[in-house]
Amino acid sequence: QKEVEQDPGPLSVPEGAIVSLNCTYSNSAFQYFMWYRQYSRKGPELLMYTYSSGNKEDGRFTAQVDKSSKYISLFIRDSQPSDSATYLCALTRNTGNQFYFGTGTSLTVIP
Amino acid sequence: EPEVTQTPSHQVTQMGQEVILRCVPISNHLYFYWYRQILGQKVEFLVSFYNNEISEKSEIFDDQFSVERPDGSNFTLKIRSTKLEDSAMYFCASKPAGAYNEQFFGPGTRLTVL
């Protein structure tokens, strides 16, 4: 069983839509959960970081963690064409430890 | 805003040659990492480095790989004898001290082994 599972998509939505991106994981030792955005042939850019179950909001982005279900989500409200990218979830057991990445979900927001 | 930088952006080498990929982490960060991403695949951890020593490494990071922090600013990844399957994007990342767990990634070096 893979450490982190993420639907690769591709996902295509109209501008203004709410986007839901998800990852599941198998190891309950993961305590920290990150979402990165990656444009083609660029490095991952940190979007959100959380370590507890519940919701964390930052502008149009909301990160949600459900540790009991081992399920994390990223919601994008009022999606924009500039949000078109690959979104990666990344998990880690403890501070300083390696990140385990999902495969990434490719998102296209159509104007 | 401070950022992680990497050089070169693209490196082409012949199989069996040694390559050194260079990174300048964010200046007040204390944890350093190398990841790689083979085209179309997920980002994979290679090694982490803290307090001038390797703190964690993956199965990928075998004897052909080494890391070094030769001075106060650079962090390098050396591949001694490159193989075709080493072709990938190599990302350097750094993390500040303390409880924060965000790793900040550089733009990557594309390594092509012919």
Side-chain angles (χ1 to χ4, degrees), chain A residues 36 38 92 95-96 98-99, chain B residues 33 35 37 56 101-103:
Chain A
Y36 283 82
Q38 186 178 27
T92 188
T95 183
Q98 63 168 293
F99 279 12
Chain B
Y33 308 84
Y35 291 81
Q37 185 176 32
E56 197 175 8
N101 215 20
E102 303 101 312
Q103 293 181 18

Side-chain angles (χ1 to χ4, degrees), chain B:
Chain B
E1 188 173 326
E3 57 185 19
V4 177
T5 59
Q6 291 185 242
T7 54
S9 57
H10 190 189
Q11 174 88 49
V12 180
T13 190
Q14 295 290 326
M15 190 169 58
Q17 294 297 302
E18 174 183 288
V19 294
I20 296 176
L21 309 182
R22 292 183 165 79
C23 169
V24 179
I26 296 172
S27 64
N28 63 344
H29 286 191
L30 297 182
Y31 295 80
F32 313 111
Y33 308 84
W34 283 101
Y35 291 81
R36 78 171 187 191
Q37 185 176 32
I38 295 171
L39 189 63
Q41 297 187 24
K42 64 168 64 177
V43 176
E44 300 175 290
F45 170 76
L46 293 178
V47 66
S48 59
F49 193 85
Y50 171 70
N51 201 24
N52 284 320
E53 61 183 22
I54 291 174
S55 50
E56 197 175 8
K57 61 182 181 179
S58 72
E59 292 175 352
I60 303 168
F61 194 87
D62 62 21
D63 291 344
Q64 293 300 309
F65 291 87
S66 62
V67 289
E68 195 176 35
R69 188 154 162 80
D71 52 43
S73 60
N74 290 283
F75 180 51
T76 62
L77 174 70
K78 182 193 290 187
I79 309 175
R80 270 183 260 285
S81 177
T82 50
K83 308 183 192 68
L84 295 176
E85 54 265 35
D86 292 328
S87 295
M89 280 289 281
Y90 287 81
F91 295 108
C92 173
S94 68
K95 189 190 88 66
Y100 302 105
N101 215 20
E102 303 101 312
Q103 293 181 18
F104 294 88
F105 282 73
T109 291
R110 177 165 298 283
L111 176 65
T112 302
V113 182
L114 302 176

Side-chain angles (χ1 to χ4, degrees), chain A:
Chain A
Q1 188 177 11
K2 293 181 182 176
E3 296 270 15
V4 183
E5 304 255 16
Q6 183 176 10
D7 185 343
L11 187 60
S12 184
V13 301
E15 183 175 354
I18 296 174
V19 176
S20 171
L21 305 164
N22 311 294
C23 287
T24 59
Y25 61 97
S26 56
N27 190 343
S28 58
F30 287 131
Q31 297 295 323
Y32 299 89
F33 310 92
M34 277 65 59
W35 284 96
Y36 283 82
R37 177 172 61 195
Q38 186 178 27
Y39 293 110
S40 180
R41 296 180 180 251
K42 302 291 185 186
E45 172 195 6
L46 181 66
L47 282 177
M48 303 278 294
Y49 151 61
T50 184
Y51 60 88
S52 59
S53 283
N55 293 353
K56 180 178 180 179
E57 195 172 310
D58 183 1
R60 295 186 296 111
F61 298 91
T62 299
Q64 189 175 78
V65 174
D66 182 347
K67 287 188 178 180
S68 62
S69 302
K70 298 189 182 65
Y71 190 88
I72 65 173
S73 300
L74 177 71
F75 297 97
I76 307 174
R77 288 184 300 282
D78 188 26
S79 55
Q80 303 294 309
S82 58
D83 294 329
S84 298
T86 296
Y87 290 80
L88 311 169
C89 61
L91 290 69
T92 188
R93 295 185 305 274
N94 206 343
T95 183
N97 285 148
Q98 63 168 293
F99 279 12
Y100 292 84
F101 280 87
T103 51
T105 300
S106 175
L107 171 68
T108 301
V109 180
I110 302 167

